[in-house]
Amino acid sequence: MSDDTVELEARLAEQDAFEPPAEFVEQANVADESIYEEFEQNWPECWERAADLLDWDEEYDTVLDDSNPPFYEWFTGGELNASANCLDRHLEERGDEPAIEWVGEPTDEDDRTYTYEELHREVNEFAAALRDLGVGEDDVVTMYMPMIPELPIAMLACARIGAPHSVVFAGFSAEALATRMESADSEYLVTANGYYRRGDPLDHHEKTREGLADVGHEVSDVVVVDRLGEDDHGHELADGERYYRDLVADHEGATVEPVARDAEDMLFLMYTSGTTGKPKGVKHTTGGYLSWAAWTSQAVLDIKPEDTYFCSADIGWITGHSYIVYGPLALGTTTMMYEGTPDYPERDRLWEIVEEYEATQLYTAPTAIRAFMKWGTEYPDDHDLSSLRLLGTVGEPINPRAWKWYYKHIGDESCPIVDTWWQTETGGMMVTTLPGVKTMKPGSAGPPLPGVDVRIVDTEGEEVEAGRAGYLTVNKPWPGMLRTLYDNDERYVDEYWAEYSDTDSEDPDDWVYFPEDGAKIDDDGYITVLGRVDDVLNVSGHRLGTMEIESAIVGVEGVAEAAVVGGDHEIKGEAVYAYVITEDGYEGDEEMRSRIVEGVEDAIGPIARPEQVVFTPELPKTRSGKIMRRLLEDIANGEELGNTSTLRNPDVVEDIQTKVGGD
Ligand code: PRX
C-alpha cells in the first residue's frame, strides 16, 4: 500500500457521509430539495416535467393510463420521434457542436468527431438506405456491433423510420446472436467486420456468419461496417451482405422525414438474462423511455449542452442505450464513445481521454473502479482530471473503499458521486442521490429519485425495519418502465409482478414491481442494494443467468449435470463457479475443463467464462433432491459451512471443499 493510500484510508475511513461540493450545487440542474415533496404531491403529473424535455409532434392527453395494470401506458395520445428529438431539434443552436466524440482503440489513427449536423446527415442517409432495403415501421433491426459511431447512427436511423432496434452486445457469442434474432423475428442485421481489442483486430464478420447460419428464419439483409480496413480478415461479401459505406454513399444527401410514433410504440428491445435459460426481450417505448432517459440525464448526471460527457459502458448494454445515446443526445450535449479497454495501450488510457477531451462527467462501473484501485494512483495522478465535475457508478454495489478511492483520486474530493441503482427493465435510474441536493453515503445508492416509490419489504410484502435486509420493490409505475417482454405478456407478469401483487386486481395500488434485488434501508431512507436474489449472477456489472451457463455446460459432451453459482471476486464482484458431474466413461481432466470453458464461451461469450470448474461425483442435494446452491456458494467463497446434516449426501461436501481450496 502506498503512503498516499494509507493517508487516504486514515482520513476518509471514518467518514461515512459527504456533502455535495458547494461549487457543484451552485450550478446544478437540480439543487432544490423541495422537488421530492413536489413530486409526491403532484404524482403522476410530476412526470410532465420529464415529457417537457422532449419535442412532441402531437401533445399527449393523459400522463398515465393505469386502467389495465401492470400494462401501464404513459403520455397516451402523444406522438414523437426519438431521432428528431436527439438530432433535428438541436441543429439550429448546436449544429456545429460535437454530438459524438469517438475514440478508437488504436492510438495511431484519427479519432472521429460528429457534429450534430454531420450526425443528422449520416443518420438520414442510413435511414434512407434501410428504407430502400425494405425495412418498414415496426420491423425489428438487430445490431451486432462494437463501439463504433455507426452503432448509434444505426439506432437513430431505425428510430427515424419507426423500426425498433435490438442491439446484441458484440462480445456475445454467435449462438447468442442467433437466439436473439430468432426470438425477435428480426430479418435485418447491421454488423461490422471487426474491431480492436488490446491491439488485435478481432474477426467479427466470421462470428456474425456463424450466428446467421443458426437463425431459423430467413434474414433478408446484412449490412457490414468496415471497421478494420486493411486489417480485415479477408472476407469477401456474401449474398445478402452489403457494406455500410456503399449504402450511405448511394444515399448521399438523402433526407428522411422522421416518422411520428405513438408514445407507446416500441423504440427498442433489449435482451437480458433471467432465471430460465431463455433471455428476456425487454420492450421499451418511445415516449416514456425517452422522457426517462432525458430527465435522469439532466437531474442525476447534471448534463448540460456544453458538457463533454463520458460514459465508459458499451452501447450493447442498457447503460449505453440510455446514457451514451438517448439521454445525452436528447439533451443536445457532447457524448463520448471509446472503443477499447481502459488498460490499452497503458493503464492510464481513460485518464488520457478525460484529459484530452476535458470530460466533465465520468459514468463507469464499480468493477472498473476496483481495477483502477488495484493498478495504483500513479495512472490518474499523471493526468489533469480537473475538468471533471461529477462521477457516477452503475451496475453493481460499490464498496465504500472503492467509492472513497474514486472520490479522492479521480474526483479530487470536488465531484459528487452518484451511485445509481437501476436495471435494463427500468429504462433508467431509479435510486440515487440527486447530486446537487443530497448528502452522499458511500456504499449506499441513496433514496429513490423524486416520484419513484421504492420500498424494502419482507416475503409478505411488509416493510422491514431500518437496517434489516429485505427485498426491493417498486410500488408505483414510472414512465421509463418496460412495457412487457417481447411477445410474452404472461412471462412479464410472472417474472416481475406475481411475487408481490394481487394479480386478480384491477386496482393499480395492488400491483408491485419486483426487480429481484435484495436491499436494506437506513433511518434516513437511504437504500443499500445487496444484490440479486434470483439465480442471476452479476459479473463485472453484467447480468448472467446461472441457468444459461448451466445449459451451456450440460451441452458439452461428457457432462451429466452442472450447477453454477457466483463466488466473490476482488475485481469482478462475482465470478462464475461451475460444479460439474461427468458421465460415466469421461474423466474430469484438463481437456474436459477446456471443452467446458469453450462451450460456455460459444453459447454466451467470454464474459461468462467460468473462473473455476470443479469436477465432483455428486452435487450436494437436500433430501427432496434440490441442489443446495447456497452451500456451493459458501464453498466457492471459502466460508465456514453451517449444518450439512440435512443433506442427502453430506459426505460430498468435504470432497468438493478440498477441490476448490486446492485448485
Ligand atoms: O442487481 C442490480 C445490479 O444490476 C442489476 C441490473 O442489471 P442490468 O439489467 O444488466 O443493468 C445494469 C445497468 C443498469 C440490478 O438488478 N445493479 C445495478 N446498479 C446497481 C446494482 N446493484 C447495486 N448498486 C447499483 N448501483
Side-chain angles (χ1 to χ4, degrees):
M1 216 186 272
S2 71
D3 288 353
D4 193 28
T5 318
V6 172
E7 173 260 340
L8 164 76
E9 303 238 321
R11 189 155 55 81
L12 298 183
E14 294 305 310
Q15 192 174 346
D16 52 17
F18 295 75
E19 293 310 316
E23 237 180 281
F24 181 88
V25 176
E26 266 169 41
Q27 58 80 62
N29 284 340
V30 179
D32 193 343
E33 178 138 29
S34 63
I35 188 171
Y36 288 92
E37 180 68 25
E38 182 196 321
F39 273 40
E40 196 173 325
Q41 301 295 329
N42 191 27
W43 197 95
E45 280 72 29
C46 55
W47 294 121
E48 291 187 22
R49 185 144 160 185
D52 282 351
L53 293 173
L54 306 179
D55 282 0
W56 295 78
D57 298 325
E58 187 69 51
E59 271 305 310
Y60 52 87
D61 33 57
T62 312
V63 173
L64 167 64
D65 176 352
D66 58 4
S67 57
N68 183 27
F71 298 93
Y72 298 98
E73 297 191 345
W74 288 88
F75 310 124
T76 53
E79 287 181 3
L80 75 168
N81 182 281
S83 157
N85 269 285
C86 290
L87 300 169
D88 305 46
R89 66 180 181 141
H90 306 312
L91 291 179
E92 201 171 316
E93 282 187 20
R94 312 246 334 136
D96 295 332
E97 301 296 330
I100 295 179
E101 292 281 11
W102 175 80
V103 180
E105 192 191 82
T107 47
D108 57 358
E109 76 175 336
D110 289 338
D111 297 336
R112 280 194 256 165
T113 301
Y114 287 79
T115 63
Y116 272 95
E117 191 77 53
E118 289 163 340
L119 192 62
H120 177 261
R121 185 180 321 135
E122 197 158 322
V123 165
N124 269 277
E125 290 166 349
F126 193 52
L130 287 174
R131 248 195 197 162
D132 277 356
L133 290 179
V135 179
E137 223 179 311
D138 296 315
D139 288 345
V140 177
V141 178
T142 302
M143 281 144 215
Y144 188 38
M145 295 167 84
M147 284 290 282
I148 52 177
E150 290 81 358
L151 173 53
I153 290 171
M155 292 161 74
L156 293 168
C158 282
R160 199 165 189 88
I161 60 174
H165 52 74
S166 165
V167 179
V168 178
F169 173 56
F172 274 142
S173 67
E175 207 175 309
L177 168 68
T179 322
R180 285 158 179 75
M181 281 192 81
E182 262 190 10
S183 155
D185 308 308
S186 174
E187 294 175 7
Y188 300 92
L189 177 67
V190 189
T191 184
N193 60 356
Y195 54 103
Y196 294 91
R197 212 24 121 243
R198 295 205 171 82
D200 292 327
L202 299 193
D203 188 351
H204 194 64
H205 205 152
E206 186 59 39
K207 201 161 76 161
T208 303
R209 285 180 178 169
E210 279 170 28
L212 285 172
D214 283 346
V215 179
H217 60 257
E218 199 190 329
V219 175
S220 47
D221 290 281
V222 179
V223 180
V224 183
V225 178
D226 177 13
R227 163 68 186 118
L228 296 181
E230 287 176 359
D231 289 334
D232 179 39
H233 296 80
H235 299 294
E236 298 286 324
L237 286 192
D239 264 0
E241 293 182 347
R242 299 147 210 273
Y243 276 125
Y244 171 91
R245 62 163 175 264
D246 296 339
L247 285 175
V248 168
D250 288 348
H251 293 83
E252 199 185 332
T255 53
V256 172
E257 198 51 37
V259 171
R261 296 281 279 169
D262 189 282
E264 282 295 308
D265 278 343
M266 171 159 53
L267 179 61
F268 66 86
L269 277 179
M270 167 117 256
Y271 281 86
T272 187
S273 295
T275 32
T276 70
K278 211 167 166 267
K280 306 185 275 198
V282 171
K283 174 180 159 181
H284 281 296
T285 56
T286 312
Y289 169 83
L290 196 62
S291 308
W292 197 255
W295 160 249
T296 48
S297 293
Q298 189 188 59
V300 181
L301 297 170
D302 200 49
I303 289 179
K304 302 175 169 62
E306 57 278 12
D307 283 338
T308 301
Y309 155 84
F310 185 13
C311 167
S312 72
D314 192 293
I315 296 176
W317 306 98
I318 192 72
T319 305
H321 277 52
S322 303
Y323 300 114
I324 297 179
V325 182
Y326 286 112
L329 293 178
L331 297 178
T333 196
T334 302
T335 185
M336 302 213 44
M337 279 180 75
Y338 170 52
E339 179 185 31
T341 58
D343 56 353
Y344 188 85
E346 296 297 336
R347 289 170 165 180
D348 67 345
R349 187 70 195 271
L350 282 198
W351 317 127
E352 196 178 84
I353 297 172
V354 168
E355 179 172 16
E356 185 182 340
Y357 287 87
E358 299 183 23
T360 40
Q361 291 94 338
L362 178 68
Y363 191 33
T364 191
T367 290
I369 298 166
R370 288 190 293 265
F372 301 145
M373 219 168 126
K374 194 163 181 203
W375 297 341
T377 52
E378 61 264 39
Y379 299 101
D381 285 354
D382 262 358
H383 295 275
D384 178 2
L385 307 180
S386 61
S387 57
L388 289 170
R389 186 173 85 239
L390 172 136
L391 303 174
T393 81
V394 58
E396 2 148 29
I398 179 162
N399 44 313
R401 239 189 102 216
W403 192 102
K404 289 174 184 177
W405 188 94
Y406 195 34
Y407 186 71
K408 165 95 180 23
H409 294 287
I410 308 305
D412 196 25
E413 299 181 63
S414 63
C415 300
I417 295 182
V418 285
D419 170 358
T420 59
W421 176 87
W422 57 292
Q423 328 175 280
T424 304
E425 292 86 343
T426 67
M429 300 159 179
M430 300 289 280
V431 178
T432 169
T433 50
L434 280 172
V437 176
K438 288 284 187 186
T439 306
M440 299 166 272
K441 299 187 189 183
S444 164
L449 280 172
V452 173
D453 185 354
V454 166
R455 301 183 197 171
I456 312 303
V457 302
D458 61 19
T459 43
E460 304 300 314
E462 298 298 324
E463 284 189 66
V464 299
E465 280 169 44
R468 278 277 178 72
Y471 301 98
L472 196 157
T473 55
V474 188
N475 292 56
K476 281 200 185 94
W478 65 101
M481 66 195 299
L482 79 164
R483 297 302 193 264
T484 190
L485 293 176
Y486 185 68
D487 221 8
N488 206 338
D489 289 347
E490 201 182 312
R491 189 171 176 200
Y492 166 66
V493 176
D494 280 357
E495 293 252 359
Y496 303 107
W497 302 91
E499 190 79 26
Y500 286 108
S501 309
D502 171 2
T503 50
D504 292 327
S505 171
E506 282 172 18
D507 179 354
D509 288 342
D510 293 332
W511 287 83
V512 173
Y513 174 84
F514 182 40
E516 302 198 272
D517 271 345
K520 57 185 187 175
I521 189 162
D522 72 8
D523 288 324
D524 301 324
Y526 276 53
I527 292 165
T528 295
V529 178
L530 302 167
R532 305 284 311 181
V533 293
D534 55 3
D535 292 330
V536 171
L537 308 183
N538 190 331
V539 178
S540 304
H542 298 144
R543 248 161 92 169
L544 298 170
T546 50
M547 287 273 285
E548 269 173 278
I549 309 176
E550 283 166 9
S551 81
I553 297 178
V554 175
V556 171
E557 193 193 318
V559 172
E561 208 179 331
V564 163
V565 298
D568 297 340
H569 190 278
E570 193 191 348
I571 305 282
K572 300 179 192 171
E574 260 187 314
V576 175
Y577 276 70
Y579 297 89
V580 176
I581 304 179
T582 56
E583 277 175 359
D584 282 349
Y586 284 88
E587 275 292 303
D589 54 13
E590 267 320 303
E591 188 264 340
M592 182 100 182
R593 194 184 305 264
S594 335
R595 285 198 295 116
I596 287 171
V597 170
E598 216 172 280
V600 173
E601 290 193 358
D602 283 351
I604 304 161
I607 43 166
R609 181 188 297 141
E611 187 82 7
Q612 271 205 40
V613 178
V614 181
F615 292 105
T616 170
E618 275 178 80
L619 292 168
K621 287 189 178 161
T622 60
R623 296 224 163 86
S624 60
K626 272 187 80 175
I627 298 176
M628 289 277 284
R629 286 167 188 283
R630 183 47 54 94
L631 197 72
L632 291 172
E633 270 168 30
D634 288 347
I635 296 175
N637 294 330
E639 272 167 27
E640 192 95 2
L641 305 183
N643 185 2
T644 54
S645 62
T646 54
L647 288 178
R648 192 164 67 186
N649 49 358
D651 299 346
V652 72
V653 173
E654 204 175 315
D655 178 52
I656 302 180
Q657 257 179 324
T658 325
K659 284 183 176 147
V660 173
D663 231 329

